[in-house]
Amino acid sequence: MKLGRAALGLLLLAPLAVRAVEPISLGLALAGVLTTYISYPRLYCLFAECCSPKRSLSREALQKDLDSKLFGQHLAKKVILNAVFGFISNPKPKKPLTLSLHGWTGTGKNFVSKIIAENIYKGGLNSDYVHLFVATLHFPHISNITLYKDQLQSWIRGNVSACARSIFIFDEMDKMHAGLIDAIKPYLDYYDNLDGVSYQKAIFIFLSNAGAERITDVALDFWRSGKQREEIELKDMEHALSVSAFNNKNSGFWHSSLIDRNLIDYFVPFLPLEYKHLKMCIRVEMQSRGYKVDEDIVSRVAEEMTFFPKEERVFSDKGCKTVFTKLDYYYDD
């Protein structure tokens, strides 16, 4: 447990002379150390991860992570940076921050949620205050939807009670049973508190493939018109994304009150990746593994990927998701 590890850290700082102290005296001394340790949150937080509703966020650090790790996503970078930093900097938000990230597999949705978590909590996705739900894993059976709703409400209520700045990530929203996500609607609304619990400092992130076709259509239209993808603006697709998710019968947002009541703050499009973006992903992965960047291998791995549309071969059909396993082939001992 974190308490035990933190206490151990404090004890290691104690003088070695403690070995000469008789057991009873030592026990009293340790009790005193633990009492002091627990009584002073700042001291506790030196040795264990803490939840603090007032915790700060470095805009520069978040931007650096987005710029160095996320490629081909100018819209997502801008929205995420401004939305997350603005929310964390606001001492009294009116409601939780809700982000809905849309796009094909491998475009960076999961990666962005990881970056957000790591910039708020040292433990990132492994933090006790970050909670990941995968639709097909945690909510597999439609016959249990009533049970899932009760469990989901209980889980969110309990964790926000323990940490107001909790982060909840819902992956595979396009595979979630319709109606289930509406169970959390009260927690995303403009309430000061519900039954004594305030949800206003929490963050909810939804990941979905829903609307990816619309995103691709817009990106392809710009490419065929000879325009740069960086000219695409959020207004070109945000409304279409919300409508697409709301009307998609295979989406967890189908006719959802979260959209109907405008409780999703941002619908964030993730554009399909081009050949040059795959090469960027490969270079970064090489560096993260401690390899010297070999441009020949970079090109060979990128060229092994498949692209669409069939005639023009503009966009990668799997984004950066499989380049890492393909890279293993060239460095397999």
Side-chain angles (χ1 to χ4, degrees), residues 17 70 73 90 121 154 212 220 225-226 232 268 302:
L70 185 66
Q73 305 298 351
N90 185 356
Y121 290 112
S154 178
L220 198 55
S225 301
I232 300 175
V268 187

Side-chain angles (χ1 to χ4, degrees), residues 33 47 57 84 111 164 187 234 260 263:
V33 169
F47 298 92
L57 175 75
V84 175
F111 207 55
Y187 308 138
L234 192 61
D260 190 42
L263 297 179

Side-chain angles (χ1 to χ4, degrees), residues 2 52 62 91 118 146-147 174 184 196 199 224 250 259 270 273 280 328 331:
K2 291 186 176 181
S52 172
L62 177 58
E118 289 175 346
T146 300
L147 173 63
D174 48 301
I184 71 171
Y199 298 86
R224 286 171 173 164
N250 296 318
I259 296 178
F270 281 69
L273 301 183
M280 293 177 184
D328 290 337
Y331 291 96

Side-chain angles (χ1 to χ4, degrees), residues 192-212:
D192 289 338
N193 69 77
L194 293 170
D195 296 327
V197 179
S198 174
Y199 298 86
Q200 294 170 318
K201 291 182 181 294
I203 297 176
F204 294 82
I205 304 173
F206 306 99
L207 313 181
S208 176
N209 289 351

Side-chain angles (χ1 to χ4, degrees), residues 46-212:
L46 291 176
F47 298 92
E49 184 180 49
C50 288
C51 169
S52 172
K54 296 181 180 179
R55 68 184 302 113
S56 60
L57 175 75
S58 169
R59 182 185 180 92
E60 292 73 22
L62 177 58
Q63 180 153 20
K64 181 180 179 181
D65 277 350
L66 291 170
D67 288 341
S68 63
K69 300 175 182 178
L70 185 66
F71 306 111
Q73 305 298 351
H74 68 286
L75 293 175
K77 286 182 181 180
K78 182 178 180 179
V79 174
I80 296 300
L81 179 64
N82 292 332
V84 175
F85 179 75
F87 179 75
I88 296 293
S89 301
N90 185 356
K92 294 183 178 180
K94 297 296 184 182
K95 67 178 290 297
L97 174 64
T98 53
L99 304 170
S100 189
L101 315 185
H102 297 259
W104 291 120
T105 297
T107 52
K109 303 186 301 297
N110 290 86
F111 207 55
V112 161
S113 61
K114 180 175 181 287
I115 289 174
I116 293 173
E118 289 175 346
N119 275 267
I120 296 177
Y121 290 112
K122 290 181 180 179
L125 294 178
N126 293 320
S127 169
D128 289 341
Y129 312 118
V130 178
H131 314 281
L132 173 64
F133 299 94
V134 180
T136 53
L137 175 64
H138 295 103
F139 316 111
H141 307 296
I142 193 170
S143 58
N144 292 335
I145 191 169
T146 300
L147 173 63
Y148 295 152
K149 286 183 177 181
D150 292 340
Q151 291 176 335
L152 193 52
Q153 288 181 339
S154 178
W155 183 255
I156 291 176
R157 182 169 55 249
N159 281 285
V160 174
S161 297
C163 177
R165 185 70 79 195
S166 290
I167 301 175
F168 301 94
I169 302 170
F170 293 85
D171 196 5
E172 298 183 345
M173 280 298 300
D174 48 301
K175 297 181 178 65
M176 182 176 285
H177 303 301
L180 172 56
I181 201 63
D182 282 2
I184 71 171
K185 181 263 177 188
Y187 308 138
L188 273 58
D189 217 326
Y190 293 82
Y191 296 117
D192 289 338
N193 69 77
L194 293 170
D195 296 327
V197 179
S198 174
Y199 298 86
Q200 294 170 318
K201 291 182 181 294
I203 297 176
F204 294 82
I205 304 173
F206 306 99
L207 313 181
S208 176
N209 289 351

